[in-house]
Amino acid sequence: MGQPTPATDDGWWRSAVIYQVYVRSFADGDGDGTGDLAGVRARLPYLADLGVDALWFNPWYRSPMKDGGYDVADYRAIDPAFGTLAEAEKLIAEAREAGIRTIVDIVPNHVSDQHPWFRAALAGGPERELFHFRPGRGQHGELPPNDWRSEFGGPAWTRLPDGDWYLHLFAPEQPDLNWAHPAVRQEHEDILRFWFERGVAGVRIDSAALLAKDPELPDFTEGRDPHPYVDRDELHDVYRAWRAVADEYGAVFVGEVWLPDTERFARYLRPDELHTAFNFSFMSCPWDAARLRASIDETLAEHAPIGAPATWVLCNHDVTRTVTRYGRADTGFDFATKAFGTPTDLALGTRRARAAALLSLALPGAVYVYQGEELGLPEADVPLDRIEDPMHARSGGTDPGRDGCRVPLPWSAGEPHAGFGGEPWLPQPDGWAAYAADLQVEDPGSMLRLYREAIRLRPVFGDGPLTWLPAPDGVLAFARADALCVVNLSDKPVDLPAHSALLLAGGPLDTAGRLPHDTAVWLRA
């Protein structure tokens, strides 16, 4: 193919609204029950009307789908369930014509056990050096080489018939790559170029802080410094090399970086490394004004010295949906088990989710919207015999897994399967059609209409800093440019600050013109 004009980096990513597409559950264009690129292409007008600046696609590459596509067998091919490389190229081009850029997901920590490299390694080829193979411990090598644990539960090692073990920080079907080997680094730089040459504007880096491993592969000791496989210094050489590639094309990076140390987190956002990184602190906050304000302040403070924009997100493909999380009376959430202490009040959760949407969209930086959040979808209860997420099986059934936020979207209330396409790969709950986009687009009070209007109005906040305003306990109020955002997280109505106009409200004001609990407004100063 001829090389298209590379995407230009005009700073669009600093304040973009980016929509996350989990292809398998977005829209089914060929009627087989699995979302695909044809489905996405058909829904581009919907996404353009929503007003988003870019689409981030979860992995769409050829994969056995042992972990939702994060087990990649071929980075240069689209999985046949989703379509073809030619369709991906059309989608990238058609989206760009609609004013929407494309961000693809790269999974550098590991590949599928069906990847040609790993299959050659199992056959005893030199590719064995591209992974972490070790003899076991114990009298007969029957024990894993160290005590590392998989992110999905159980040992991070699997033994082969020849007696050696291989490392996988995630599922056994996802062997970790050896990033100390130059061939691994070169291959990924080539993969970046492959997609940038097809017009991709950016790359999201999965598990970005896990690539490098201590070559000694020592046992894990709590508090060990440096950590044997998280946030190792040698990672920064990798990302500096990647940044040089991205700069050739005007492309950008967003890293999935989970680090409690804000100074070390900020190192990934230096001018010669990643452009942005996900903000998990904000997403994991309970519905509490003090906690949310602290998270906002800390996020802005850690980004300020390096001039990088913050990112804000309420939900993604790994997290219980916002309406359900905020519908818990205690609003406590354990990311390790996805367990809550109390039942869900969906009305309360929806009210809070509307307020949270206005809060996140008013903050300085970029905002990520996970598909279906704009429809106000709750977490779905997936029957146990239909769960596909490996986290469920690896936990012995104690973790419900992540499929509840991955149930296919409802598009048309009057069509079979709520207009998704064929019978969905994950079952849609009873009543799912009530959330259908075609109903919501006609309802001025719907979640979809709120998101569309908020994204349209978002430029009123400008591109400047945030200034907190005096507010009662339990209330967040701040100004940016000549606009104000007020969020009432208290249990009683509050008076609005002085303003010249009401721009947008997450719900009606009370009869006295006060802001009710769990409601947000945007005001003209």
Side-chain angles (χ1 to χ4, degrees), residues 114-312:
Q114 300 304 304
H115 190 283
W117 277 2
F118 193 69
R119 297 178 75 170
L122 293 184
E127 290 83 357
R128 212 170 177 89
E129 296 180 3
L130 306 179
F131 300 90
H132 299 279
F133 286 90
R134 295 289 189 278
R137 297 190 293 192
Q139 185 176 0
H140 303 290
E142 71 278 9
L143 300 176
N146 66 28
D147 63 358
W148 296 2
R149 305 290 292 176
S150 163
E151 296 289 321
F152 289 168
W157 295 89
T158 290
R159 195 179 193 188
L160 297 168
D162 66 8
D164 271 359
W165 298 71
Y166 69 89
L167 176 67
H168 52 85
L169 289 181
F170 293 87
E173 296 86 359
Q174 296 167 296
D176 279 34
L177 290 166
N178 174 15
W179 274 86
H181 198 291
V184 173
R185 294 184 57 161
Q186 184 61 55
E187 169 67 358
H188 282 77
E189 291 174 25
D190 291 347
I191 290 168
L192 293 175
R193 286 193 171 88
F194 179 88
W195 287 105
F196 291 153
E197 288 172 3
R198 282 155 178 77
V200 163
V203 166
R204 180 261 190 186
I205 307 168
D206 181 69
S207 300
L210 300 186
L211 279 56
K213 313 296 192 294
D214 185 325
E216 300 300 321
L217 299 179
D219 279 345
F220 177 79
T221 303
E222 195 67 39
R224 185 187 182 95
D225 187 22
H227 195 287
Y229 60 83
V230 176
D231 182 36
R232 294 184 61 80
D233 287 343
E234 51 265 43
L235 265 178
H236 298 282
D237 287 338
V238 172
Y239 293 134
R240 277 189 284 270
W242 284 28
R243 179 60 177 261
V245 175
D247 286 348
E248 295 176 25
Y249 297 88
V252 300
F253 291 120
V254 56
E256 184 191 27
V257 182
W258 295 72
L259 292 177
D261 186 323
T262 57
E263 290 186 8
R264 293 195 66 87
F265 172 86
R267 295 175 69 201
Y268 290 85
L269 301 178
R270 290 176 292 196
D272 61 346
E273 294 192 40
L274 308 184
H275 298 75
T276 60
F278 281 121
N279 174 12
F280 295 106
S281 163
F282 181 77
M283 181 174 65
S284 61
C285 269
W287 188 246
D288 177 87
R291 293 278 299 276
L292 283 166
R293 176 166 175 168
S295 175
I296 293 166
D297 284 341
E298 290 167 3
T299 298
L300 295 176
E302 69 190 14
H303 286 76
I306 46 179
T311 65
W312 311 99

Side-chain angles (χ1 to χ4, degrees), residues 13 17 23 59 64 101 110 141 155 188-189 198 238 252 277 329 332 344-345 370 376 393 395 419 429 433 458 478:
W13 46 276
V17 177
V23 178
R101 293 172 168 87
H110 50 262
H188 282 77
E189 291 174 25
R198 282 155 178 77
V238 172
V252 300
T344 302
D345 180 340
Y370 177 49
S395 71
R458 190 167 179 256
F478 59 85

Side-chain angles (χ1 to χ4, degrees), residues 288-366:
D288 177 87
R291 293 278 299 276
L292 283 166
R293 176 166 175 168
S295 175
I296 293 166
D297 284 341
E298 290 167 3
T299 298
L300 295 176
E302 69 190 14
H303 286 76
I306 46 179
T311 65
W312 311 99
V313 60
L314 297 173
C315 185
N316 63 32
H317 64 293
D318 289 332
V319 175
T320 301
R321 284 198 177 273
T322 308
V323 165
T324 298
R325 291 203 327 272
Y326 285 156
R328 304 287 178 171
D330 60 3
T331 67
F333 181 58
D334 181 346
F335 274 89
T337 64
K338 300 178 180 62
F340 293 88
T342 56
T344 302
D345 180 340
L346 290 183
L348 175 66
T350 300
R351 186 183 183 104
R352 289 173 171 175
R354 292 172 67 90
L358 294 191
L359 171 60
S360 62
L361 286 163
L363 293 170

Side-chain angles (χ1 to χ4, degrees), residues 369-421:
V369 178
Y370 177 49
Q371 65 180 42
E373 287 292 289
E374 82 280 9
L375 301 177
L377 296 181
E379 186 81 354
D381 290 326
V382 179
L384 293 179
D385 63 346
R386 296 292 300 276
I387 292 176
E388 296 199 13
D389 186 0
M391 291 186 73
H392 177 69
R394 295 275 292 179
S395 71
T398 61
D399 188 324
R402 300 160 294 178
D403 287 346
C405 66
R406 301 175 178 182
V407 170
L409 299 189
W411 290 102
S412 304
E415 296 182 16
H417 314 302
F420 171 71

